[in-house]
Amino acid sequence: MALPPLSLLRRCAGALGGSSLAAAVAFGASSLPAAAEQGGGVNVTSYGHSALLIQGGGATVLINPFKAVACAAGLAEPRVRADVILASSRLLDEGAPVASGKFLVSPGSYKVGGLRIEGVSSPHDRFDGRRFGASTLWRWKQGGLEIAHIGGTAAPLRPEDKVLLGRPDLLIIGVGGGAKVYDGAEAAAVVKELQPRRVIPVQYVSGKTPADCDQGSVEPFLQALAGTPVKRVGRSVSLPGKLSDATQVLVLR
């Protein structure tokens, strides 16, 4: 079920209560899906840090291409082609100009490659953006799956954000901590709020921590979600267009 544009819901959020917002979601769901939104599932490939390539519905989406600096030092940069590139910000570790395709970083409503994409602004840090400015939270439907990408923020979700993001089939979320990424406990709290069917954690360190990196491993996040099934799937995973209802964490590396 497709959700209405985030911009429309955000205009309603200041004036409507939760029940009215839910009605707005249901009202907007009647619009016909774009071609790339049709079922069939997606294949997700990790390039490390928070860069993921999502293929499905005849479209290819690259998330957060990076330069090999700071916490991404030592990783191979994702110099690939995609229909659309969704970046959390223009910081070099999550929005570097290393790939080719339509580059989106600003909030707004877009139609690219058969996809309808919604981006909404959020503070990047825990201080209302005073340290690192704003990041963009992304939501779109691809291969029959509702996907939310909040890989570049440390700010708590606002009530209207939770309505706007809905219940994702796939949630991509930063978990490594530091100045501009959720730590394990914060990310786990967001997962419990949104109740996604599948979760892919990103922006954490595997192995030795690079110099000038303030992030840690994925383990505190997994520990904070004790009891939630975890599947370590290697570098890529294929997801069908319809997922089982219970939350499961997929660790890609």
Side-chain angles (χ1 to χ4, degrees), residues 6 37 61 84-86 104 108-113 115-119 138-141:
L6 295 181
E37 297 176 354
V61 177
V84 60
I85 300 166
L86 301 179
L104 301 179
S109 299
Y110 304 91
K111 291 184 179 179
V112 183
L115 299 169
R116 292 177 296 188
I117 301 166
E118 301 289 343
W138 296 102
R139 191 205 73 199
W140 71 102
K141 187 173 184 180

Side-chain angles (χ1 to χ4, degrees), residues 29-93:
S30 61
S31 58
L32 292 175
E37 297 176 354
Q38 301 287 349
V42 297
N43 186 78
V44 184
T45 301
S46 173
Y47 287 85
H49 200 50
S50 59
L52 299 175
L53 187 69
I54 304 176
Q55 299 168 292
T60 302
V61 177
L62 177 64
I63 291 172
N64 282 16
F66 58 81
K67 289 285 289 183
V69 297
C71 293
L75 299 176
E77 296 171 357
R79 297 183 177 275
V80 299
R81 176 165 184 79
D83 295 303
V84 60
I85 300 166
L86 301 179
S88 295
S89 74
R90 293 187 182 275
L91 295 175
L92 289 180
D93 64 342

Side-chain angles (χ1 to χ4, degrees), residues 2-14 21 24-25 28 86 106-110 116-122 135-141 146-150 157-168:
L3 296 176
L6 295 181
S7 55
L8 172 63
L9 283 177
R10 183 169 291 283
R11 289 197 298 270
C12 297
L21 280 171
V25 171
L86 301 179
S106 299
S109 299
Y110 304 91
R116 292 177 296 188
I117 301 166
E118 301 289 343
V120 62
S121 180
S122 176
S135 68
T136 302
L137 313 182
W138 296 102
R139 191 205 73 199
W140 71 102
K141 187 173 184 180
E146 293 284 357
I147 303 175
H149 164 36
I150 56 175
L157 294 181
R158 296 158 294 193
E160 62 267 33
D161 294 333
K162 298 171 192 176
V163 175
L164 300 175
L165 293 170
R167 185 190 181 192

Side-chain angles (χ1 to χ4, degrees), residues 145-237:
L145 299 177
E146 293 284 357
I147 303 175
H149 164 36
I150 56 175
T153 184
L157 294 181
R158 296 158 294 193
E160 62 267 33
D161 294 333
K162 298 171 192 176
V163 175
L164 300 175
L165 293 170
R167 185 190 181 192
D169 293 307
L170 174 60
L171 174 66
I172 300 159
I173 184 169
V175 304
K180 55 187 176 64
V181 178
Y182 289 132
D183 64 25
E186 292 167 336
V190 171
V191 170
K192 292 173 183 177
E193 288 175 328
L194 296 181
Q195 292 291 304
R197 292 173 175 83
R198 299 294 181 271
V199 181
I200 295 180
V202 295
Q203 283 202 224
Y204 59 87
V205 175
S206 295
K208 185 179 179 181
T209 302
D212 302 319
C213 176
D214 61 357
Q215 295 174 12
S217 77
V218 71
E219 297 306 321
F221 171 68
L222 301 180
Q223 293 165 9
L225 283 178
T228 302
V230 175
K231 189 174 182 181
R232 298 179 188 266
V233 295
R235 191 185 175 206
S236 64
V237 63

